Amino acid sequence: NAGVTQTPKFQVLKTGQSMTLQCAQDMNHEYMSWYRQDPGMGLRLIHYSVGAGITDQGEVPNGYNVSRSTTEDFPLRLLSAAPSQTSVYFCASMGVGARGGNTIYFGEGSWLTVV
Amino acid sequence: SQELEQSPQSLIVQEGKNLTINCTSSKTLYGLYWYKQKYGEGLIFLMMLQKGGEEKSHEKITAKLDEKKQQSSLHITASQPSHAGIYLCGADGGSNYKLTFGKGTLLTVNP
């Protein structure tokens, strides 16, 4: 997981609280994304970005906001946490170049529990 | 949107046995990634396949890409307990770098 740093690693939230999951990469990658992983569901794309100032929705965007003000950072915001957002969150980055020819780097994951 | 279907969903084998996990895409594959995940941990990159017919190996794990079938297979030879975990395939099959993943295959290797 070289180069992609996620914080915090563990977090417990109360329903209705807000928080931001941080993701930073130092590889100058254009592409960054957030996934959530739930039992039996695999990795589901929440939001992604192909460059600073550009973001788009993935498969499960509701309840989450993102912004990409710099190439390095891609924070994920939960505005009003709900128990359904209890999950493991992974940030990923990838260099954009030859199609399909770039390794995806993942952060180590953030375990979020909403009570 | 692209969908990746992995089979089987779970697999229990005896140590020393060979096994195969498949990943089938609903759309053209531009790149296929295999990752392994230990329960409660992050994702470990195994290998990436780009071209039809490409085959890569790492230790006792071999992956192949069949472009025509839009499918990749992951083969483990002489499985060991250290191979146990969740295997995930991921792909970039669209025009906007939306990377999608299969739901994973849970592998258990009994000593």
Side-chain angles (χ1 to χ4, degrees):
Chain A
N1 299 330
V4 180
T5 304
Q6 276 183 244
T7 56
K9 190 169 179 70
F10 300 100
Q11 183 72 48
V12 178
L13 284 178
K14 293 183 179 179
T15 298
Q17 285 186 319
S18 63
M19 78 156 297
T20 299
L21 297 176
Q22 302 290 346
C23 178
Q25 52 92 6
D26 59 3
M27 297 170 282
N28 201 33
H29 284 168
E30 296 92 337
Y31 179 92
M32 295 185 74
S33 56
W34 277 101
Y35 295 85
R36 61 176 289 173
Q37 186 178 37
D38 303 289
M41 301 297 291
L43 287 168
R44 292 185 292 170
L45 182 64
I46 304 172
H47 285 285
Y48 68 102
S49 169
V50 295
I54 306 170
T55 63
D56 206 347
Q57 296 181 349
E59 181 184 355
V60 287
N62 292 340
Y64 307 95
N65 278 353
V66 292
S67 59
R68 185 89 181 273
S69 56
T70 66
T71 300
E72 295 77 20
D73 301 300
F74 191 45
L76 179 71
R77 298 182 184 86
L78 284 71
L79 299 179
S80 179
S84 60
Q85 293 179 303
T86 294
S87 186
V88 184
Y89 293 84
F90 288 97
C91 178
S93 77
M94 182 180 76
V96 172
R99 295 304 307 280
N102 304 286
T103 300
I104 309 166
Y105 294 88
F106 281 89
E108 295 190 346
S110 296
W111 274 253
L112 176 66
T113 301
V114 183
V115 298
Chain B
S1 62
Q2 183 177 35
E3 293 185 357
L4 295 177
E5 184 171 341
Q6 286 187 237
S7 60
Q9 290 183 334
S10 63
L11 189 56
I12 302 173
V13 299
Q14 204 67 30
E15 182 176 359
K17 295 294 185 183
N18 302 335
L19 63 105
T20 299
I21 298 169
N22 292 308
C23 176
T24 303
S25 172
S26 61
K27 292 188 175 182
T28 301
L29 289 168
Y30 290 96
L32 193 288
Y33 306 82
W34 283 102
Y35 286 82
K36 177 188 173 185
Q37 184 181 29
K38 289 282 193 181
Y39 180 76
E41 298 181 9
L43 288 87
I44 301 169
F45 173 74
L46 295 176
M47 54 194 84
M48 173 180 63
L49 305 167
Q50 290 179 249
K51 302 175 184 177
E54 186 173 18
E55 179 175 321
K56 289 187 176 179
S57 294
H58 176 67
E59 298 180 345
K60 294 184 178 180
I61 301 176
T62 300
K64 300 178 184 179
L65 181 62
D66 186 329
E67 199 170 46
K68 289 183 180 179
K69 291 184 179 179
Q70 298 177 172
Q71 183 179 75
S72 177
S73 60
L74 186 83
H75 185 77
I76 299 177
T77 303
S79 58
Q80 301 169 356
S82 61
H83 287 126
I86 299 171
Y87 289 82
L88 290 159
C89 65
D92 168 16
S95 60
N96 55 5
Y97 296 97
K98 288 176 71 171
L99 303 172
T100 57
F101 286 84
K103 294 183 178 180
T105 295
L106 175 61
L107 173 63
T108 303
V109 181
N110 291 326

